[in-house]
């Protein structure tokens, strides 16, 4: 039942309810001990307006993200304008300041009746936690981690130090969620790195101040969903909506071209680039192999993974049986997704020349209005993209976006972590290109959902040319098989929590950080809870 229902109402409908976790812990004699720090992700933190343009009159300190959204519904174009960042710098546009809501209320509820952290906070309160022992590290989740406004990284450092000092020297337990997981990875490197690039806390800061990091739904190695978001501003839900109501999202809805305006906004949110898949083909698979194996959409069970053997350099020795290969994150056509690579004729899109003859006339900035027809067709003619080549694809279709990405994030695998280049902050949120702190007594948990179909790869098509169109769409006519973990509405699914595949959520704690490794030289203990 919704948490907002009084207990007596819920019990009248469902019968007696079991004790909440906080009540059970209190009966067991547990009380508040380690201070708790919450690190929300991009979706769950509230944002409010501090300075805006004329269209935002009356919205001072009103929530633009999280909350009732009542005023936003009345002026959607104004909302897009104020939620967008500068497409050159990734910072505040002139005359606009949007800042995080402070305190626990920043992320307790995303909207009325839709709790985020509220139930966890309430259960902790039952065993004695209160405001002085809980801290919400609210941030503007859209900024790239380096240039967060209001010295957010320094504020987190100071607040953790204060909580440790005022709670008998007890170290904090940090609970990051979703993209906040990557943000806190960045923080742990920043806080120990020398100034001015880092926080100057010294190489033992984490060992002195952090008891455990309990990551919830962490996209450690990125999510394929980020690729479809940047490429066509779609995901499974948008594709399904298109399938049920063809053309609806391509028309002016409430006086605006919905997806184009949303793409204009989200292509300025630099932090989301941290969730582009990391590790390339070595982690996510190549043209003819994937770590999940090969899947036959028409079969009741996946084909035996013995048809492919992954070896350390990420290349496979495979007797390829045609079927779904999840390593192909984008395929133009269902047949392309299933054929052996030797049967696919491809033309390298990187050789195409853009003559700047725009394919459509559009005053909504998406970068697609700067591509000509030949440029667009070159993308389609390459036919299939793996985790390695999607970076080149995004550089090709969104050069401004990816110029900022290259300055602030990296998605590779380190050959030699002693190389001085890895001291740069762009590597700090990639667990494959950085080391965990030297804190052998610290603990790291990965807690994530399983058993829910989760986006892994996509079948695309060239969109019908209309004025101001996004030229590529998920092909919702591509559906196959009776298994839920397969192809539906142009989206291939695997096991995960609906957003993050198990591969991304679990690999680092199960393998990359398990024991003493080059990514975890002090042997921090790792745990998985699925």
């Amino acid at each position: 039942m919704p948490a907002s229902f009084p207990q007596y109402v819920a019990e009248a409908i469902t019968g007696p309810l079991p004790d909440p976790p906080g009540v059970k812990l209190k009966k067991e004699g547990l009380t508040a001990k380690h201070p708790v720090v919450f690190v929300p992700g991009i979706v769950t933190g509230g944002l409010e307006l501090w300075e805006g343009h004329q269209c935002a009159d009356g919205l001072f300190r009103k929530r633009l993200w999280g909350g009732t959204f009542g005023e936003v519904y009345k002026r959607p174009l104004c909302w897009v304008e104020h939620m967008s960042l500068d497409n050159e710098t990734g910072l505040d546009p002139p005359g606009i300041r949007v800042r995080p809501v402070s305190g626990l209320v920043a992320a307790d509820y995303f909207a009325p009746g839709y709790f985020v952290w509220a139930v966890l906070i309430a259960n902790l309160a039952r065993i004695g936690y209160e405001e002085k022992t809980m801290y919400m590290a609210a941030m503007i989740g859209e900024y790239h981690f380096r240039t967060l406004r209001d010295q957010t990284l320094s504020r987190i450092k100071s607040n953790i130090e204060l909580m440790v000092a005022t709670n008998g020297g007890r170290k904090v337990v940090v609970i990051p969620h979703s993209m906040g997981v990557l943000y806190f990875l960045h923080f742990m490197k920043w806080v120990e790195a020398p100034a001015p690039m880092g926080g100057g806390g010294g190489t033992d800061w984490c060992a002195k101040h952090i008891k455990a990091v309990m990551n919830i739904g962490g996209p450690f190695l990125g999510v394929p969903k980020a690729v479809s978001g940047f490429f066509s501003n779609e995901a499974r839900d948008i594709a399904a909506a298109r399938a049920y109501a063809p053309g609806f999202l391509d028309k002016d809805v409430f006086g605006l071209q919905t997806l184009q305006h949303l793409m204009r906004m989200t292509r300025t949110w630099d932090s989301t680039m941290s969730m582009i898949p990391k590790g390339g083909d070595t982690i996510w698979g190549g043209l003819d192999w994937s770590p999940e194996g090969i899947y036959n959409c028409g079969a009741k069970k996946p084909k035996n993974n013995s048809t492919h053997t992954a070896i350390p350099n990420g290349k496979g020795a495979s007797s390829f049986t045609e079927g779904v290969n999840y390593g192909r994150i984008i395929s133009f056509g269902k047949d392309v997704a299933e054929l052996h690579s030797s049967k696919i004729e491809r033309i390298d899109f990187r050789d195409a020349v853009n003559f700047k003859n725009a394919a459509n006339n559009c005053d909504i900035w998406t970068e697609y209005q700067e591509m000509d027809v030949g440029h667009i067709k070159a993308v389609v003619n390459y036919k299939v993209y793996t985790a390695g080549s999607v970076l080149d694809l995004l550089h090709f279709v969104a050069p401004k976006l990816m110029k900022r990405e290259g300055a602030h994030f990296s998605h590779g695998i380190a050959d030699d972590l002693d190389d001085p280049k890895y001291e740069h902050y762009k590597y700090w949120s990639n667990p494959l290109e950085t080391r965990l702190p030297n804190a052998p007594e610290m603990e790291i948990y990965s807690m994530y959902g399983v058993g829910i179909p989760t986006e892994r790869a996509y079948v695309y098509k060239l969109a019908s040319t209309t004025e101001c169109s996004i030229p590529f769409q998920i092909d919702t006519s591509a559906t196959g098989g009776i298994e839920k973990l397969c192809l539906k509405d142009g989206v291939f699914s695997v096991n995960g929590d609906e957003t993050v595949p198990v591969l991304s959520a679990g690999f680092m704690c199960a393998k990359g950080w398990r024991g003493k490794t080059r990514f975890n030289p002090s042997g921090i203990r790792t745990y998985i809870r699925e």
Side-chain angles (χ1 to χ4, degrees), residues 42-48 61-73 79 83 101 105-116:
I42 189 172
V43 172
T44 54
L47 301 176
E48 60 188 17
R61 294 204 66 198
K62 294 288 194 304
R63 290 202 184 197
L64 297 187
W65 189 260
T68 63
F69 292 97
E71 287 297 320
V72 171
Y73 291 138
W79 176 75
M83 287 296 294
V101 177
V105 296
D108 53 356
Y109 287 87
F110 181 70
Y114 177 9
F115 70 84
V116 183

Side-chain angles (χ1 to χ4, degrees), residues 253-363:
V253 180
F254 307 118
L256 61 108
Q257 285 143 319
T258 309
L259 291 183
Q260 288 85 332
H261 280 289
L262 291 177
M263 177 173 278
R264 165 202 166 188
M265 178 176 71
T266 56
R267 277 197 175 184
T268 66
W269 292 357
D270 287 5
S271 62
T272 55
M273 291 185 276
S274 68
M275 294 191 284
I276 294 173
K278 301 176 176 69
D281 295 1
T282 303
I283 295 293
W284 293 91
L287 289 175
D288 291 320
W289 78 276
S290 68
E292 294 91 349
I294 306 300
Y295 202 95
N296 183 342
C297 283
K300 293 185 177 180
K301 294 182 179 180
K303 293 184 178 179
N304 193 313
N305 280 359
S306 64
T307 60
H308 164 75
T309 303
I311 55 179
N313 67 1
K315 297 178 181 178
S318 173
S319 56
F320 185 92
T321 304
E322 289 182 1
V324 175
N325 167 32
Y326 297 109
R328 303 178 188 185
I329 293 180
I330 288 179
S331 302
F332 277 91
K334 181 182 175 183
D335 57 332
V336 171
E338 298 177 345
L339 288 173
H340 188 274
S341 61
S342 63
K343 298 180 182 179
I344 303 173
E345 295 182 6
R346 307 165 77 198
I347 301 174
D348 198 328
F349 67 96
R350 288 161 287 209
D351 297 331
V353 177
N354 186 14
F355 294 103
K356 300 293 183 182
N357 297 322
N360 53 54
N361 181 26
C362 187
D363 59 1

Side-chain angles (χ1 to χ4, degrees), residues 38 64 73 90 150 229 266 321 341 376 416 459 463 477:
F38 307 106
L64 297 187
Y73 291 138
D150 299 337
T266 56
T321 304
S341 61
I376 291 169
D416 178 11
V459 175
S477 68

Side-chain angles (χ1 to χ4, degrees), residues 203-226:
T203 56
D204 60 350
W205 191 94
C206 291
K208 290 180 176 178
H209 294 90
I210 301 175
K211 162 67 176 174
V213 182
M214 308 187 73
N215 302 289
I216 301 176
F220 289 101
L221 301 179
V223 290
K225 192 174 183 176

Side-chain angles (χ1 to χ4, degrees), residues 37-84:
V37 177
F38 307 106
V39 185
I42 189 172
V43 172
T44 54
L47 301 176
E48 60 188 17
L49 184 69
W50 279 82
E51 180 184 4
H53 295 163
Q54 186 175 358
C55 70
D57 286 350
L59 296 183
F60 175 67
R61 294 204 66 198
K62 294 288 194 304
R63 290 202 184 197
L64 297 187
W65 189 260
T68 63
F69 292 97
E71 287 297 320
V72 171
Y73 291 138
K74 301 175 185 177
R75 28 187 152 175
L77 285 177
C78 185
W79 176 75
V80 168
E81 180 181 349
H82 286 77
M83 287 296 294
S84 299

Side-chain angles (χ1 to χ4, degrees), residues 29-293:
L30 272 74
T31 56
K33 183 176 181 182
H34 294 280
V36 172
V37 177
F38 307 106
V39 185
I42 189 172
V43 172
T44 54
L47 301 176
E48 60 188 17
L49 184 69
W50 279 82
E51 180 184 4
H53 295 163
Q54 186 175 358
C55 70
D57 286 350
L59 296 183
F60 175 67
R61 294 204 66 198
K62 294 288 194 304
R63 290 202 184 197
L64 297 187
W65 189 260
T68 63
F69 292 97
E71 287 297 320
V72 171
Y73 291 138
K74 301 175 185 177
R75 28 187 152 175
L77 285 177
C78 185
W79 176 75
V80 168
E81 180 181 349
H82 286 77
M83 287 296 294
S84 299
L85 302 174
D86 187 280
N87 60 33
E88 296 282 353
T89 65
L91 304 177
D92 291 324
I96 292 177
R97 279 186 295 148
V98 177
R99 296 292 179 263
V101 177
S102 59
L104 295 177
V105 296
D108 53 356
Y109 287 87
F110 181 70
Y114 177 9
F115 70 84
V116 183
W117 296 94
V119 173
L120 179 55
I121 292 169
N123 278 282
L124 289 173
R126 292 178 185 272
I127 58 172
Y129 280 92
E130 51 190 321
E131 194 92 31
K132 69 179 181 180
T133 49
M134 292 189 286
Y135 165 56
M136 186 70 69
M139 60 174 176
I140 305 179
E142 291 74 21
Y143 284 110
H144 51 72
F145 301 155
R146 181 65 182 172
T147 56
L148 287 165
R149 305 293 83 195
D150 299 337
Q151 293 76 47
T152 306
L153 293 166
S154 296
R155 287 170 178 260
I156 294 175
K157 175 177 181 284
S158 298
N159 274 292
I160 289 177
E161 290 171 345
L162 178 63
M163 293 176 85
V164 172
T166 56
N167 284 278
R170 297 187 183 98
K171 303 174 187 178
V172 300
V173 171
V174 184
I175 310 179
H177 170 244
S178 188
M179 195 192 71
V181 168
L182 303 178
Y183 176 54
F184 198 74
L185 277 179
H186 178 96
F187 172 83
M188 288 193 292
K189 293 297 291 186
W190 173 87
V191 73
E192 295 193 341
M197 187 175 290
T203 56
D204 60 350
W205 191 94
C206 291
K208 290 180 176 178
H209 294 90
I210 301 175
K211 162 67 176 174
V213 182
M214 308 187 73
N215 302 289
I216 301 176
F220 289 101
L221 301 179
V223 290
K225 192 174 183 176
V227 175
S228 66
F230 285 126
F231 190 50
S232 64
N233 210 65
E234 294 176 290
R236 180 172 56 202
D237 295 341
I238 297 295
R242 269 210 172 104
Y244 289 119
F248 178 72
L249 290 172
D250 305 318
K251 298 177 181 177
D252 285 357
V253 180
F254 307 118
L256 61 108
Q257 285 143 319
T258 309
L259 291 183
Q260 288 85 332
H261 280 289
L262 291 177
M263 177 173 278
R264 165 202 166 188
M265 178 176 71
T266 56
R267 277 197 175 184
T268 66
W269 292 357
D270 287 5
S271 62
T272 55
M273 291 185 276
S274 68
M275 294 191 284
I276 294 173
K278 301 176 176 69
D281 295 1
T282 303
I283 295 293
W284 293 91
L287 289 175
D288 291 320
W289 78 276
S290 68
E292 294 91 349

